[in-house]
Amino acid sequence: MAQVKEKKKTIFEQPWHELPRGGIMPDAGNAAEYNTGDWRTDRPIWDSEKCISCLICWMFCPDSSILVQDGKMVGIDYEHCKGCGICAAECPPKVRALEMKPEADFR
Amino acid sequence: MAKTLEETTKMAAKAGKNGNKKLSALTGNEAVAHAMRQINPDVVAAYPITPATEIVQIFSSFVANGQVHTEYVAVESEHSAMSATIGACAAGARAMTATSSQGLALMWEMLYIAAGLRLPIVMPVTNRALSAPINIHCDHSDTMGARDAGWIQLFSENSQEAYDNTIQAIRICEHPDILLPAMVTYDGFIISHAMEVVRIEEDAEVKEFVGEYKPDIYLLNTDKPVTMGGLDFTDFYFEHRRGLADPVSKVKDVVLQVGAEFKKQFGREYGLFETYKLDDAEYAIVVLGSTAGTAKVTIDDLRDRGVKAGMVKIRMFRPFPYDEVAKALEGKKAVAVLDRSDGLAGRGGPVFGEVRNALCDWPNKPVTVGYVYGLGGRDIGPEMIESVYTDLQEIAKTGKALNLVKYLGVRE
């Protein structure tokens, strides 16, 4: 008979005594697991019709939140985008494919 | 310059302490430097400050003479001394430093980091008053200011205790249940610079007692790489700080366990605190550090005159042994707590606050008053301590404290 597996707690659900001592992080490269997207007060909205995939936003994004596939921009990683607005500011004036909108509009 | 152990042993022999080659005439700083030599830490990063300078000055001569294998880092400030010690300890080394007063104050932010990262650093601190006004002499304001940093604090009455506490602190801090830093404190000049007869144990015995430091998690372990000192937000900081309170609650047991082992090996007994003629005492005082020696003489004298005087000398101030101290003082007619620093909290010094906290819930609690004394190295003599017992007898008659907090030995 198959055993019923207890659902593993995520690190966000773990009580204090189950966390590594002294705030030590035993795993490397786990920043992606942390949702920094909920810090955002303004959200970048991408218009795929206007975008020319110059990738200037990709170069400037401090959080690697511009998603690119095969050399083309395909969207924004809202899990990690902190809403700094650099992408919208750097998008060429003639293109304007990125626009910042208040996060409250989406809630 | 530092005398060799052989020279000081000869001095002790001349002083009539013949027949025991382990006895030496040493100052507190010399005794602690010898403890560090025997501990033989991997790294010492330090910056000189009166009256702690000698500790690392003497220790650096041990390094230069090849008597230890320590990497000695001469840094440009105490902030850097603690930072380098933290870095070395996080990397996996047994790391030590030493300081006093303003030096400890300059280490401030790093003290909390050493504790928060659970690094077992042992640091001797010679107690010296904090500025302003600038002063180089003893009071406890420096380490009292660091009392909530997550460091264990062991106070020493004399050079022997400073030596013994330094050795025991290594074992306490590195215990797998603890992994917290510790300050071993002793009174600046009064102990740090006064020569006493100290029993320095054999190097091999001390080496065996402290053992080898084998960290389980450390930065130079390339097989198990970790990140230390990462950023916590509202979702983790509380859990991690709660986690810091857990080893603190276990320190008491480990201090007693290491004390028992120390007694077995070297014959000297250490608990959380020492009591002196307390069992049948009616009037008790609570003190820290070198004042306990003066108090013992005073108590002997009072006892000769029929006054039932006793004392609690706190050894482990952090974490504070609340229940044990309360139990020791329960049923006394009156208790006085002597603070060698002013808490500036509006009600006396920090030791007073802790003792009152300890006694608060005990049904048979004595009337407890506080005294602030000895700031900036102001001497405390037997006559001053006797005046405290005179006050206690007065208080016991009425059952009421006239002054909750008094300043003792200040020009009024």
Side-chain angles (χ1 to χ4, degrees):
Chain A
M1 203 173 104
Q3 280 187 325
V4 183
K5 268 193 182 170
E6 207 178 299
K7 196 182 163 233
K8 201 181 170 233
K9 279 180 221 152
T10 70
I11 194 167
F12 298 95
E13 294 164 333
Q14 280 178 327
W16 66 266
H17 50 86
E18 287 178 15
L19 293 173
R21 71 162 190 259
I24 289 164
M25 282 183 260
D27 306 308
N30 57 9
E33 292 166 33
Y34 199 86
N35 181 359
T36 52
D38 62 0
W39 304 2
R40 215 166 38 235
T41 50
D42 290 315
R43 178 185 291 205
I45 299 300
W46 175 58
D47 187 338
S48 59
E49 298 290 316
K50 291 184 187 170
C51 180
I52 57 169
S53 281
C54 63
L55 301 188
I56 290 173
C57 58
W58 174 79
M59 280 186 274
F60 277 88
C61 177
D63 285 304
S64 306
S65 293
I66 304 295
L67 302 173
V68 174
Q69 247 172 29
D70 302 325
K72 303 274 181 198
M73 179 170 176
V74 293
I76 293 161
D77 171 7
Y78 287 121
E79 289 279 295
H80 298 100
C81 165
K82 298 189 192 109
C84 68
I86 291 174
C87 57
E90 294 300 330
C91 189
K94 284 181 183 171
V95 181
R96 293 200 180 281
L98 285 156
E99 194 186 344
M100 300 305 290
K101 290 200 169 162
E103 195 63 29
D105 292 356
F106 303 93
R107 304 246 161 135
Chain B
M1 206 49 223
K3 291 179 177 60
T4 66
L5 204 53
E6 290 71 29
E7 283 170 328
T8 57
T9 306
K10 273 180 205 160
M11 287 167 71
K14 264 189 202 166
K17 301 281 179 182
N18 259 325
N20 193 330
K21 66 184 173 72
K22 286 182 179 177
L23 294 179
S24 305
L26 297 171
T27 66
N29 283 343
E30 286 171 338
V32 167
H34 277 296
M36 287 175 69
R37 176 181 60 75
Q38 294 175 318
I39 291 162
N40 198 357
D42 301 305
V43 175
V44 168
Y47 190 82
I49 182 163
T50 302
T53 301
E54 276 183 328
I55 308 169
V56 289
Q57 181 193 337
I58 295 164
F59 185 79
S60 68
S61 73
F62 296 146
V63 177
N65 295 342
Q67 290 167 278
V68 287
H69 76 249
T70 307
E71 181 72 30
Y72 188 92
V73 191
V75 288
E76 78 282 11
S77 75
E78 285 87 355
H79 188 281
S80 303
M82 185 43 65
S83 300
T85 309
I86 286 170
C89 192
R94 182 181 269 163
M96 297 179 77
T97 183
T99 194
S100 180
S101 186
Q102 305 303 127
L104 184 66
L106 189 54
M107 288 181 180
W108 215 255
E109 61 168 340
M110 304 316 293
L111 293 178
Y112 283 74
I113 292 168
L117 294 179
R118 304 282 306 275
L119 300 173
I121 294 164
V122 173
M123 172 166 68
V125 181
T126 55
N127 283 119
R128 167 188 148 183
L130 285 174
S131 297
I134 192 165
N135 175 288
I136 56 167
H137 292 282
C138 172
D139 73 36
H140 297 161
S141 52
D142 51 1
T143 55
M144 283 300 162
R147 71 188 184 275
D148 296 340
W151 284 60
I152 298 163
Q153 291 187 334
L154 300 176
F155 279 75
S156 321
E157 180 187 326
N158 49 43
S159 301
Q160 185 70 62
E161 289 192 5
Y163 169 81
D164 292 349
N165 280 337
T166 305
I167 291 165
Q168 288 177 68
I170 296 283
R171 286 283 306 278
I172 295 162
C173 294
E174 292 175 5
H175 191 287
D177 289 348
I178 307 301
L179 296 171
L180 288 171
M183 294 174 199
V184 172
T185 82
Y186 52 105
D187 290 349
F189 289 108
I190 301 166
I191 300 304
S192 70
H193 285 62
M195 191 166 283
E196 292 182 278
V197 173
V198 182
R199 187 181 162 97
I200 299 292
E201 302 297 344
E202 296 290 344
D203 291 358
E205 283 182 66
V206 176
K207 190 181 171 185
E208 197 194 324
F209 184 83
V210 297
E212 200 184 323
Y213 177 47
K214 289 176 188 157
D216 59 340
I217 301 171
Y218 55 101
L219 290 175
L220 288 185
N221 184 354
T222 48
D223 294 330
K224 278 186 194 168
V226 295
T227 299
M228 288 188 191
L231 177 69
D232 266 10
F233 286 116
T234 50
D235 47 6
F236 280 102
Y237 183 87
F238 200 171
E239 278 70 25
H240 282 137
R241 294 305 290 190
R242 175 64 188 85
L244 193 55
D246 190 51
V248 169
S249 70
K250 295 170 181 161
V251 169
K252 194 166 70 182
D253 290 342
V254 174
V255 166
L256 290 173
Q257 182 197 319
V258 172
E261 278 185 56
F262 189 87
K263 190 194 174 190
K264 202 176 159 196
Q265 179 79 24
F266 302 115
R268 291 181 294 283
E269 192 163 356
Y270 286 90
L272 307 175
F273 53 85
E274 181 191 328
T275 59
Y276 190 74
K277 302 195 175 174
L278 190 71
D279 287 351
D280 68 336
E282 292 174 344
Y283 317 102
I285 62 167
V286 180
V287 299
L288 274 70
S290 65
T291 305
T294 316
K296 283 171 185 172
V297 174
T298 313
I299 290 166
D300 289 348
D301 194 33
L302 286 167
R303 286 268 172 177
D304 286 345
R305 285 183 271 147
V307 180
K308 289 196 167 176
M311 176 182 66
V312 170
K313 179 188 85 185
I314 304 288
R315 177 194 181 213
M316 185 179 84
F317 182 73
R318 275 292 180 269
F320 193 81
Y322 293 98
D323 292 343
E324 293 80 358
V325 166
K327 214 172 168 185
L329 295 174
E330 196 202 10
K332 304 298 169 204
K333 284 186 179 169
V335 170
V337 182
L338 273 60
D339 267 284
R340 201 163 196 151
S341 67
D342 194 350
L344 301 177
R347 187 167 279 186
V351 191
F352 182 50
E354 298 300 11
V355 173
R356 299 263 294 184
N357 182 349
L359 288 166
C360 181
D361 295 328
W362 288 68
N364 200 10
K365 58 175 175 271
V367 180
T368 307
V369 291
Y371 291 82
V372 174
Y373 77 97
L375 302 191
R378 176 66 51 86
D379 258 341
I380 179 159
E383 68 292 344
M384 272 192 216
I385 295 172
E386 190 176 324
S387 78
V388 172
Y389 283 106
T390 308
D391 287 356
L392 289 181
Q393 291 171 75
E394 243 352 90
I395 289 165
K397 273 184 206 160
T398 59
K400 279 196 179 134
L402 296 173
N403 291 305
L404 200 54
V405 178
K406 268 190 176 178
Y407 288 84
L408 187 64
V410 74
R411 288 191 295 277
E412 300 277 7

